[in-house]
Amino acid sequence: MASSKQSGLLGILMGVLILGLCAMAFAGIFIDEWTIYKGQVGNGFIESDVVTSFTDYSETVMGEDMKIEDFEKLEISFNKDDSAALMKTMVAFGYIALVAVAALTLLYLLKMLLNVGVLRFITGIVGIAAIAVGAILIGVTASYCSNFVANISIGTVLSGELVMGLGAYLAPIGVMGAGVAAVVGCARK
């Protein structure tokens, strides 16, 4: 009897954790700091940071009106030499990550309410997929930042580098964390 209560408590805790991590993933996507271009002139004499949001990248790839039909423009390519292809891939996996974490949250809540074996299995599979999508998103974003066209360094005279912002960390970590919590929650009844 005590083991049943402990596994039920673990399931509830994982459900609450998944809800929080889902909110973290959505906040990461919609925060205004996906990447930061750090520029410096003259050994720190003039410094400037240009912040770009995920929405800005999305509008660049799909246009400003972003209709459902525009998602066909997203193509996945892991060609690290093509900055435009990496940007499209980053946007595509950003949207895939949002869909994965939202579906995972709904499936886990249904699993908690219905407690059907098949639903536990499906939720576990979606959790594993969410872990993979989050890892790919953070990898593609890091690759895009490191291979950015305007990354320059001319001694101490001029330097510029694109780095990942807060949103680029929050979203993938939220998606991967929700996936891990779902797998742990599904491993036990």
Side-chain angles (χ1 to χ4, degrees):
M1 190 71 150
S3 176
S4 173
K5 287 183 180 179
Q6 286 178 349
S7 65
L9 182 61
L10 177 69
I12 292 170
L13 286 174
M14 290 299 120
V16 170
L17 184 62
I18 288 170
L19 282 173
L21 289 168
C22 178
M24 181 173 140
F26 272 86
I29 289 288
F30 293 113
I31 200 168
D32 284 340
E33 187 178 296
W34 189 260
T35 58
I36 305 168
Y37 186 78
K38 296 181 176 264
Q40 181 176 339
V41 176
N43 208 10
F45 180 68
I46 299 173
E47 293 183 9
S48 69
D49 293 345
V50 178
V51 177
T52 308
S53 68
F54 184 81
T55 307
D56 293 339
Y57 285 115
S58 181
E59 288 175 356
T60 300
V61 171
M62 296 190 302
E64 290 186 23
D65 51 351
M66 285 193 286
K67 299 175 190 164
I68 296 294
E69 300 85 33
D70 292 337
F71 284 99
E72 295 173 359
K73 293 181 185 176
L74 293 177
E75 54 189 52
I76 296 174
S77 169
F78 295 105
N79 183 2
K80 69 177 187 170
D81 296 329
D82 187 6
S83 185
L86 278 177
M87 185 186 344
K88 287 180 181 180
T89 305
M90 179 177 65
V91 170
F93 273 99
Y95 285 120
I96 292 170
L98 286 182
V99 169
V101 77
L104 180 63
T105 303
L106 290 175
L107 282 171
Y108 194 85
L109 292 176
L110 280 174
K111 179 208 80 81
M112 286 177 54
L113 292 173
L114 301 178
N115 201 13
V116 178
V118 173
L119 200 54
R120 273 187 37 220
F121 177 74
I122 293 170
T123 305
I125 296 297
V126 173
I128 292 169
I131 294 169
V133 166
I136 291 171
L137 177 61
I138 202 164
V140 169
T141 305
S143 181
Y144 175 74
C145 289
S146 68
N147 295 321
F148 189 63
V149 175
N151 285 347
I152 57 171
S153 179
I154 304 173
T156 60
V157 177
L158 179 67
S159 67
E161 178 182 25
L162 187 69
V163 296
M164 293 172 51
L166 181 63
Y169 288 110
L170 286 179
I173 290 171
V175 172
M176 289 187 295
V180 169
V183 169
V184 168
C186 289
R188 303 204 128 219
K189 274 193 173 186

